[in-house]
Amino acid sequence: MQRTSADGVTVLWRPAPTPGPLTAQLTFGTGVRDETAPTLGVTRVIEGLVMTEAGNRPHAYSSNLRDDVIEFTAKGTPDDVTGFLLTICRALSDLPLHHTAHVTAALAGHTTQYAANHPAAALPARYGPHAAGLITYEHPGSYAALTPETVRAHAAARFTRGNAVLALDGPPPPGLALPLPDGPPPRRTTPRTRPHVPGTWQRRPVDTVSLLLTCDASDAAATMAQLVLRRRVERAVHCTADTGAHWFLRDQDTLDRVLVIHPRPGKARETAVTLWQETLRLTRKGPAQAELDALTHDIRSEAGPLWGSRRPFERAALAEHFAIPYLDDDTLFKSHAAVTPQAVRTYLEHALPDSVLVVPHQTQLHLRTPNGSPLPNSDCWRPHGQHPPTPGTRYRKNPLRRAVTRRSHQGEYVLTPWGIVIRDAHRDEHDIRFDDIALVRHEGPGRIVLTGCGCQMHLHPHQVAHGERLIAALDAAVPAHLVHTTG
């Protein structure tokens, strides 16, 4: 991979194997994981504003927002490519903010609130609504709440020449110009992991069964462990939909690997038990050498599934952004072909204590850790009878409404100095700690609270007697920058 620069932007390229169109990809080391709950969607708005300036062109071009980077891609003649890149850079230097309302309205019209089948749908179990845990949270109101000032500030901090990399599958064309705003790469930190979650199983609002494991960014044994486990589970549960092996950057040294399985209807518990048992079996005995050999053969024949759809020059750009090692296709293949059964066992022995098994709601499990002790549950609801009730001011339906309401709907709230506790009809409790709230969205007189664990709780004053006092206490405790009042 060759390296040069243009206007202070790093340019990576390698000679094209045959003459043909030039492909260029301008990437910025920022994505959804760099947003916060109040600014969720801002990178996609910037993408939409910039692409409005691209107009109609005689060549292929596109943009793509990932969790870790955003990509602007063009394929055509050298003149086509340089013209497209110049347009993108000029738009980022002077955002067409007069299009903000149009772009946010268009995005809100194509948004689903929660993607229960998204490959990252289990990440909120580990992070809550922060960093990688934000990837699956979208809401039409998020876009409506973004002001031009918020959009401009985010672009000024993230879309700079110091945070840009241009990757080419051929030599840089003559006249290449990348007039981006000046600025250093943003400071990246390791995202905060929710306490008491690693080494547990947890129920979430998902339709899939997922196993989260961490690994070193360059650990080939982790990749092979995930792929072996995927094949074993596919054979055992006869999935009606494809399983998926995905990875997400936690930081420059660490990946979160997520194995996602789509269970057949009514088979979530069976699928989760099979996944966990196969994981323990692989940890105890390791894979057979024949399994690794078969994977090695398929990896070679499938032309690089190890990195999904990312091509070598895209991987080089990612390595540049996040200071992770870059390996070409041949070196990458050899590193995985050299993995031994013992290396897979060693990796899993170290990874399992930090793992999280995520299953759909209503799924009940009784699993064991490798040493035989019960695998703890880390649900954010406290079951009645296992903990003393939280003291505080109770807010219940008035006696007449309680008399005409089914018992299964007779929940209540408890107001404490530190937050609000939701107590359901079974007297199970869920905390909403004021200092851990990620976002509050107004919905008429009611509120939707995005809690620190990633749950979205609905509070309405009509649900309980004197409920307006409860809402007033919530509003007084939450800082203004965490409140969305539009939509």
Side-chain angles (χ1 to χ4, degrees):
M1 191 69 65
Q2 306 294 312
R3 182 188 184 95
T4 184
S5 65
D7 291 331
V9 176
T10 298
V11 178
L12 305 175
W13 64 279
R14 64 176 187 174
T18 57
L22 177 66
T23 299
Q25 190 169 82
L26 179 63
T27 65
F28 294 86
T30 189
V32 180
R33 56 169 290 160
D34 298 308
E35 300 172 354
T36 63
T39 65
L40 188 60
V42 65
T43 312
R44 198 171 292 283
V45 171
I46 294 170
E47 175 192 17
L49 291 172
V50 170
M51 294 303 284
T52 61
E53 299 296 283
N56 295 318
R57 294 177 176 268
H59 62 87
Y61 68 93
S62 64
S63 61
N64 183 32
L65 175 60
R66 299 180 184 262
D67 58 291
D68 44 24
V69 297
I70 183 170
E71 307 160 342
F72 298 95
T73 305
K75 184 175 183 179
T77 67
D79 286 345
D80 291 337
V81 167
T82 55
F84 174 79
L85 293 174
L86 184 61
T87 297
I88 296 300
C89 292
R90 285 175 172 169
L92 286 168
S93 299
D94 186 15
L95 284 174
L97 293 171
H98 55 284
H99 290 311
T100 302
H102 170 75
V103 169
T104 54
L107 289 171
H110 294 85
T111 297
T112 56
Q113 186 164 343
Y114 192 92
N117 286 302
H118 192 286
L123 288 176
R126 173 163 280 165
Y127 298 108
H130 307 283
L134 272 175
I135 296 172
T136 59
Y137 289 98
E138 284 188 283
H139 189 283
S142 299
Y143 296 108
L146 295 171
T147 65
E149 292 72 23
T150 300
V151 175
R152 182 189 292 111
H154 194 82
R158 299 282 174 175
F159 290 83
T160 64
R161 67 185 65 184
N163 197 33
V165 174
L166 175 64
L168 303 163
D169 65 356
L176 176 64
L178 302 170
L180 289 166
D182 196 15
R187 180 174 175 268
R188 299 183 178 92
T189 58
T190 300
R192 180 187 64 187
T193 301
R194 290 180 56 215
H196 313 302
V197 168
T200 66
W201 70 276
Q202 186 177 136
R203 285 170 285 222
R204 302 290 300 181
V206 297
D207 297 332
T208 55
V209 173
S210 300
L211 180 63
L212 284 76
L213 296 168
T214 60
C215 68
D216 292 341
S218 57
D219 191 347
T223 306
M224 299 300 277
Q226 188 183 50
L227 296 178
V228 169
L229 188 57
R230 172 181 178 176
R231 290 196 172 185
R232 288 188 177 188
V233 176
E234 284 178 332
R235 288 195 298 265
V237 300
H238 308 293
C239 304
T240 58
D242 289 339
T243 57
H246 309 276
W247 57 266
F248 303 88
L249 277 167
R250 176 187 286 195
D251 53 42
Q252 68 181 51
D253 300 315
T254 315
L255 300 181
D256 284 312
R257 291 195 171 275
V258 184
L259 180 61
V260 181
I261 303 172
H262 298 255
R264 289 178 293 166
K267 297 295 184 180
R269 181 183 181 279
E270 175 187 325
T271 300
V273 170
T274 300
L275 171 58
W276 188 250
Q277 289 177 341
E278 288 295 338
T279 304
L280 294 184
R281 187 174 295 114
L282 195 60
T283 304
R284 288 194 300 266
K285 298 182 178 180
Q289 185 61 51
E291 289 180 287
L292 297 180
D293 292 343
L295 274 174
T296 299
H297 174 271
D298 292 346
I299 288 169
R300 174 66 85 182
S301 62
E302 292 172 13
L306 297 171
W307 285 77
S309 61
R310 284 175 168 166
R311 294 165 288 186
F313 71 91
E314 294 176 290
R315 302 200 310 265
L318 193 71
E320 185 73 23
H321 282 301
F322 296 100
I324 57 179
Y326 167 71
L327 302 177
D328 59 34
D329 284 346
D330 191 54
T331 304
L332 189 64
F333 170 77
K334 288 179 179 177
S335 69
H336 289 80
V339 171
T340 65
Q342 182 57 47
V344 172
R345 285 189 60 195
T346 301
Y347 160 67
L348 287 172
E349 288 170 355
H350 286 89
L352 272 189
D354 190 48
S355 66
V356 185
L357 179 67
V358 180
V359 299
H361 278 323
Q362 312 305 322
T363 304
Q364 183 62 42
L365 299 176
H366 300 283
L367 303 174
R368 297 281 175 177
T369 65
N371 64 16
S373 61
L375 182 68
N377 172 254
S378 57
D379 287 352
C380 41
W381 283 89
R382 289 190 299 274
H384 174 62
Q386 296 185 18
H387 302 272
T390 303
T393 304
R394 298 171 66 187
Y395 286 79
R396 311 171 66 193
K397 295 180 185 295
N398 61 49
L400 179 61
R401 293 193 67 183
R402 288 203 304 274
V404 298
T405 303
R406 286 184 298 174
R407 184 176 179 82
S408 61
H409 292 172
Q410 290 190 13
E412 63 185 28
Y413 301 114
V414 180
L415 179 63
T416 75
W418 48 263
I420 297 171
V421 177
I422 297 179
R423 189 177 290 159
D424 68 11
H426 304 289
R427 304 190 68 77
D428 296 343
E429 293 187 345
H430 188 293
D431 294 342
I432 302 178
R433 300 192 67 89
F434 292 143
D435 61 1
D436 210 21
I437 289 174
L439 187 71
V440 173
R441 182 176 291 109
H442 286 215
E443 193 174 72
R447 304 290 184 266
I448 301 176
V449 182
L450 183 55
T451 65
C453 61
C455 293
Q456 299 194 64
M457 297 297 184
H458 294 236
L459 283 74
H460 198 284
H462 296 163
Q463 292 172 331
V464 293
H466 306 296
E468 68 281 353
R469 300 177 188 174
L470 191 75
I471 298 298
L474 174 67
D475 289 346
V478 178
H481 73 280
L482 297 181
V483 178
H484 279 182
T485 59
T486 59

